[in-house]
Amino acid sequence: VPKISLRWKERNLGKEGKLQNQRAVLNQQILRAVRMRAGAENLLRATNNNKVREQVLLELSFVNSDLQILKEELEGLNISVEVYQNTEETFSIPLVPLGLKETKEVDFTLPLKDFILEHYSEDSSEYEDEIADLMDLRQACRTPSRDEAGIEMLISYFLQLGYVENRFFPPTRHMGVLFTWYDSFTGVPVCQQNLLLEKASILFNIGALYTQIGTRCNRQTQAGLENAVDAFQRAAGVLSYLKETFTHTPSYDMSPAMLNVLVKMMLAQAQECVFEQIGLPGIRNEFFTLVKMTQEVAKVGEVYMLVNTAMNQEPVKENIPYSWSKLAQIKSDHYKALAHYFIATILCDHELQSGDDEDQQEKALSQLYDYMPEGLMVLTVLKDKVQRKQLGKAHLRKAIVYHEEALRVCGLCKKLRNIDVLQEVLTAAHKRSLLKYAQQETEDDFLSLIQAPDILRKYTQLEIKETITPQFSKVKVKDFFHRLGPLTVFSAKQRWTAPRTIRIHLEAGELGFSLKGGSPVQIYCLDPVCSAASMGLKEGDYIVSVGDVDCKWLGVNEVLEKFKSVGEQPIEIEVISCQDTAASMHSKSATYSVGMQKTYSLICLAMEDDKIDQTKKAPLKLPFLSWGTKNRQKAASTLCLPSAVAGSSQIKKKLSPFTLLNTESSLY
């Protein structure tokens, strides 16, 4: 495993890195304000003095105002889309990336060393390098590079957590390791002694990093647009996987409703990039080309309309950045306007000629409409110059209305108003429609009452983009704590006796027992009267060392070779015995409050300062946790390890961290 060392200190000093630093500072300010409010609320509940209550209520109003200002500043960071765009000159509407979740440092040293000594009966000082590697990897994941190497590093840590969970986090008790992660949208900290919060947050950051990679792609080239589409699809896939795998998360940004909206937004941005791919070589002013472009751009407008609708539903509406919702509305109006502009160009610039295929044009044009205005038929419109012009101008009027609405909404949102390229794109499209309308004859404007019909979205080249399911197995990682032995046997779920030393004497060339199994090997068919049995060897014991050689990863043949190599000389082996594990894990679940005020208070009341007493047991009442007894067996673990039973002849399979999660598991 390559050393991570102090790579995390090489913090990205570019614009993205500065934004992430600002996010960390804001999170700390929000935390302080939240604690102040929690204290004021406690005092308000405890006092009956009217004068004190008045002062506390006044203080609460100031604190709430500060929190609102800080939340708006955090929203400003979330809409700083221009920072993440490609540095090449571009004339495209910006795409929206997700900001990475911030976290506090975690010290695994004491909990893991204590557990190694207590549970595995090994010298924990020999595993200091492995623990340091784990902590370095986690620290590096706080500031990943915005490229595939950053994605691979985050996935590596996520997979490593699968090993760590099963090595060191037993289902019956907490390890005393407190994980703190800040909500990406509200800045509210969530603290849990649960490794699954860590895993879910890393998954969110993998999805967020994909969105940042997608926005950085050069959208002026086909390759860049293809990479952007792929990145947004992968981001949607990771976020969808997070929603299906980790349920009841206590953080707003990872709630099922919010993740559902984020998945829709990423797929909409993928659709937008596909449309840009089609139009990148240029759009020819030709009948069938314009028909195709009309259908494609209408589809983009529709998906953004669905995104905007989802963003305005409870409980997402309270926490989604206001500027994101407005940007989705603007894009919906903008692309709908383009669809009406394209069809207007078809009607105004392309009269039916004698050599044209009349049937093909009629079929193509009829596919754009669900219905025609009263008194009009597609073939008649194609042949009649007056009707053609009237319908074309009706579409231009509708395009202008959509353009003006997009500009109006953009002007009302302060943060979007400051994005120059967005204003330029919307203004240019509006002027183009106005110019096209001015070029048409105007004498019949007051006589025409035709209303442009809506345009149908046909699934042609721009099919609805689907999520790309994350394939974590492509990233190969080695268990940092590989030396502890095969995970199927040496896990936190299994309980063992301390290693016992047995001195083996060959009797007439016989050991007095047989060996079976994979790694490590088990004692099988033990002769109860042999010398080894008299020294305490038991049926089903696992051999962990022969002489001074560690045998946890050796098979039957390799262990037998060790015995044969000593000849008739006595040899010492170390064995362990499996103990029954009757304790079962509680079914745990977490809920989150829709109301921001309640959430701030619940979190802060349970939080200490940054110091954590590693020796204390988990508190009886944890924030956001509700303990139940239903389905305990099902919730016992996300991984079912086979018990080590004497006499079992089945060779144990090596576990992979990808098997630790399934759609039935829950976060808490």
Side-chain angles (χ1 to χ4, degrees):
V1 178
K3 288 282 184 181
I4 303 297
S5 67
L6 298 179
R7 192 195 325 169
W8 61 271
K9 288 187 177 180
E10 302 172 6
R11 196 173 183 93
N12 184 355
L13 297 179
K15 292 182 179 180
E16 299 95 333
K18 291 178 181 178
L19 272 186
Q20 203 64 31
N21 284 335
Q22 293 176 28
R23 183 183 295 274
V25 171
L26 273 178
N27 287 335
Q28 292 300 319
Q29 292 175 344
I30 289 174
L31 176 58
R32 284 194 293 270
V34 161
R35 286 176 171 172
M36 288 180 62
R37 184 166 77 177
E41 289 176 346
N42 288 339
L43 180 57
L44 190 64
R45 285 191 292 266
T47 183
N48 293 322
N49 188 307
N50 290 333
K51 187 175 181 179
V52 173
R53 289 179 67 85
E54 288 178 4
Q55 292 177 341
V56 172
L57 288 172
L58 181 62
E59 182 66 25
L60 273 175
S61 67
F62 283 119
V63 173
N64 287 332
S65 298
D66 289 341
L67 280 173
Q68 184 61 34
I69 293 172
L70 292 171
K71 184 180 177 182
E72 290 177 0
E73 290 183 18
L74 189 59
E75 180 185 340
L77 295 184
N78 285 327
I79 197 57
S80 299
V81 293
E82 67 278 0
V83 173
Y84 294 96
Q85 310 301 309
N86 187 269
T87 54
E88 300 290 334
E89 287 293 330
T90 181
F91 195 67
S92 303
I93 298 180
L95 301 171
V96 177
L98 293 178
L100 299 179
K101 289 172 70 70
E102 281 286 331
T103 182
K104 288 185 176 181
E105 293 184 18
V106 172
D107 190 350
F108 288 105
T109 306
L110 286 179
L112 296 196
K113 289 181 71 173
D114 288 347
F115 195 80
I116 290 172
L117 179 61
E118 170 203 338
H119 188 79
Y120 294 103
S121 302
E122 294 202 28
D123 185 358
S124 57
S125 63
E126 296 181 359
Y127 289 89
E128 290 179 351
D129 288 343
E130 286 85 346
I131 296 174
D133 286 343
L134 177 65
M135 293 175 61
D136 284 343
L137 179 58
R138 185 187 192 273
Q139 197 72 349
C141 287
R142 297 179 68 181
T143 55
S145 57
R146 270 75 177 176
D147 51 26
E148 287 298 326
I151 294 289
E152 185 173 343
M153 181 174 65
L154 287 175
I155 293 177
S156 297
Y157 180 59
F158 175 74
L159 298 179
Q160 201 64 236
L161 287 176
Y163 289 121
V164 171
E165 179 181 18
N166 288 277
R167 293 281 192 195
F168 301 107
F169 286 78
T172 54
R173 66 183 176 95
H174 288 295
M175 285 291 293
V177 181
L178 186 65
F179 300 99
T180 301
W181 285 88
Y182 294 89
D183 191 292
S184 180
F185 299 121
T186 66
V188 177
V190 175
C191 305
Q192 294 284 341
Q193 293 188 63
N194 196 322
L195 193 67
L196 294 181
L197 173 63
E198 179 93 344
K199 296 170 77 173
S201 299
I202 290 297
L203 275 179
F204 184 93
N205 278 358
I206 293 173
L209 196 57
Y210 270 126
T211 68
Q212 296 182 14
I213 292 173
T215 56
R216 286 182 63 86
C217 292
N218 185 357
R219 292 157 67 191
Q220 303 304 306
T221 65
Q222 285 287 351
L225 285 168
E226 288 176 3
N227 291 336
V229 172
D230 181 74
F232 285 119
Q233 285 182 277
R234 292 185 183 279
V238 172
L239 295 174
S240 180
Y241 178 79
L242 172 58
K243 175 172 70 81
E244 295 169 359
T245 307
F246 296 90
T247 57
H248 308 295
T249 52
S251 182
Y252 282 123
D253 53 0
M254 296 191 294
S255 66
M258 180 66 78
L259 290 174
N260 186 53
V261 171
L262 296 181
V263 168
K264 288 183 178 179
M265 185 172 74
M266 296 312 141
L267 291 179
Q269 295 190 140
Q271 297 277 130
E272 185 178 4
C273 291
V274 173
F275 167 71
E276 291 179 359
Q277 274 185 283
I278 300 171
L280 187 63
I283 302 173
R284 292 186 300 115
N285 193 354
E286 185 268 331
F287 186 95
F288 293 104
T289 300
L290 291 173
V291 168
K292 175 184 174 182
M293 295 305 297
T294 301
Q295 294 170 326
E296 309 293 14
V297 75
K299 186 60 193 172
V300 180
E302 181 189 37
V303 294
Y304 270 114
M305 179 186 68
L306 296 176
V307 170
N308 181 48
T309 301
M311 286 181 174
N312 285 284
Q313 302 296 319
E314 297 291 348
V316 174
K317 183 179 180 180
E318 295 182 8
N319 299 303
I320 201 79
Y322 173 77
S323 48
W324 285 15
S325 174
K326 294 294 114 179
L327 183 59
Q329 181 181 346
I330 289 169
K331 287 190 175 186
S332 176
D333 289 337
H334 173 69
Y335 288 114
K336 286 179 181 178
L338 288 184
H340 284 283
Y341 175 81
F342 286 144
I343 196 171
T345 304
I346 292 173
L347 296 170
C348 296
D349 294 359
H350 297 278
E351 295 184 4
L352 189 62
Q353 304 296 326
S354 57
D356 292 339
D357 190 332
E358 182 178 297
D359 293 338
Q360 287 294 325
Q361 286 198 10
E362 179 187 10
K363 181 180 178 182
L365 193 62
S366 62
Q367 290 177 346
L368 299 178
Y369 298 115
D370 189 22
Y371 67 94
M372 289 291 288
E374 187 176 354
L376 297 182
M377 297 179 62
V378 173
L379 185 58
T380 307
V381 170
L382 286 173
K383 293 181 177 181
D384 191 310
K385 180 179 179 181
V386 175
Q387 290 188 6
R388 194 180 186 117
K389 290 286 184 181
Q390 288 179 342
L391 185 57
K393 292 175 69 176
H395 279 291
L396 282 174
R397 287 194 294 271
K398 202 159 189 176
I400 292 169
V401 169
Y402 277 125
H403 283 310
E404 290 175 346
E405 178 63 13
L407 285 167
R408 184 189 70 83
V409 174
C410 186
L412 291 176
C413 182
K414 178 182 177 181
K415 295 178 175 62
L416 296 179
R417 193 165 60 235
N418 295 330
I419 302 177
D420 294 335
V421 68
L422 177 60
Q423 291 277 0
E424 292 171 3
V425 171
L426 297 178
T427 302
H430 183 223
K431 288 181 177 179
R432 183 175 56 190
S433 294
L434 288 173
L435 179 61
K436 190 74 174 177
Y437 189 82
Q439 292 173 351
Q440 310 307 312
E441 298 175 3
T442 59
E443 61 271 14
D444 60 343
D445 280 359
F446 293 102
L447 300 177
S448 176
L449 300 177
I450 296 177
Q451 293 293 323
D454 292 332
I455 299 171
L456 287 180
R457 281 70 63 184
K458 185 183 177 184
Y459 300 94
T460 54
Q461 181 171 344
L462 191 60
E463 296 288 353
I464 292 182
K465 283 298 173 183
E466 298 180 351
T467 62
I468 296 180
T469 304
Q471 297 180 332
F472 300 128
S473 58
K474 289 187 176 181
V475 178
K476 304 300 181 184
V477 297
K478 182 180 178 180
D479 181 7
F480 281 154
F481 300 92
H482 177 266
R483 290 192 293 131
L484 287 174
L487 187 57
T488 53
V489 176
F490 298 97
S491 70
K493 196 177 179 183
Q494 305 279 9
R495 296 179 59 203
W496 304 99
T497 61
R500 309 189 309 277
T501 301
I502 306 294
R503 190 174 181 84
I504 302 295
H505 297 271
L506 294 180
E507 300 171 355
E510 296 293 335
L511 292 171
F513 56 85
S514 299
L515 301 178
K516 71 167 186 176
S519 303
V521 298
Q522 278 184 285
I523 302 298
Y524 177 61
C525 293
L526 175 65
D527 185 352
V529 298
C530 70
S531 60
S534 63
M535 294 189 67
L537 189 64
K538 300 177 183 178
E539 181 86 12
D541 280 352
Y542 286 86
I543 299 178
V544 294
S545 70
V546 176
D548 296 328
V549 180
D550 190 298
C551 295
K552 296 192 200 73
W553 286 96
L554 299 185
V556 172
N557 293 334
E558 295 165 306
V559 173
L560 288 176
E561 287 296 326
K562 299 295 180 186
F563 282 120
K564 292 179 181 178
S565 64
V566 298
E568 298 294 328
Q569 298 295 323
I571 186 171
E572 290 185 347
I573 65 172
E574 283 191 340
V575 298
I576 57 175
S577 301
C578 178
Q579 295 179 338
D580 292 334
T581 55
S584 63
M585 178 182 173
H586 289 281
S587 175
K588 294 177 281 185
S589 62
T591 58
Y592 60 92
S593 171
V594 174
M596 179 71 71
Q597 313 247 343
K598 183 177 180 183
T599 303
Y600 276 124
S601 304
L602 283 173
I603 294 175
C604 295
L605 290 173
M607 291 185 62
E608 297 290 335
D609 291 331
D610 296 336
K611 299 179 181 179
I612 301 169
D613 186 358
Q614 298 286 351
T615 63
K616 289 185 178 180
K617 294 184 178 179
L620 293 177
K621 293 184 179 179
L622 293 176
F624 296 97
L625 285 183
S626 59
W627 297 83
T629 57
K630 186 178 180 181
N631 296 328
R632 288 190 178 183
Q633 296 301 324
K634 181 178 179 181
S637 175
T638 53
L639 170 67
C640 294
L641 292 176
S643 301
V645 180
S648 173
S649 59
Q650 185 178 359
I651 297 178
K652 295 175 176 59
K653 296 181 180 179
K654 184 178 179 182
L655 286 178
S656 169
F658 335 123
T659 63
L660 306 186
L661 300 174
N662 54 59
T663 55
E664 296 298 323
S665 62
S666 60
L667 180 53
Y668 299 106

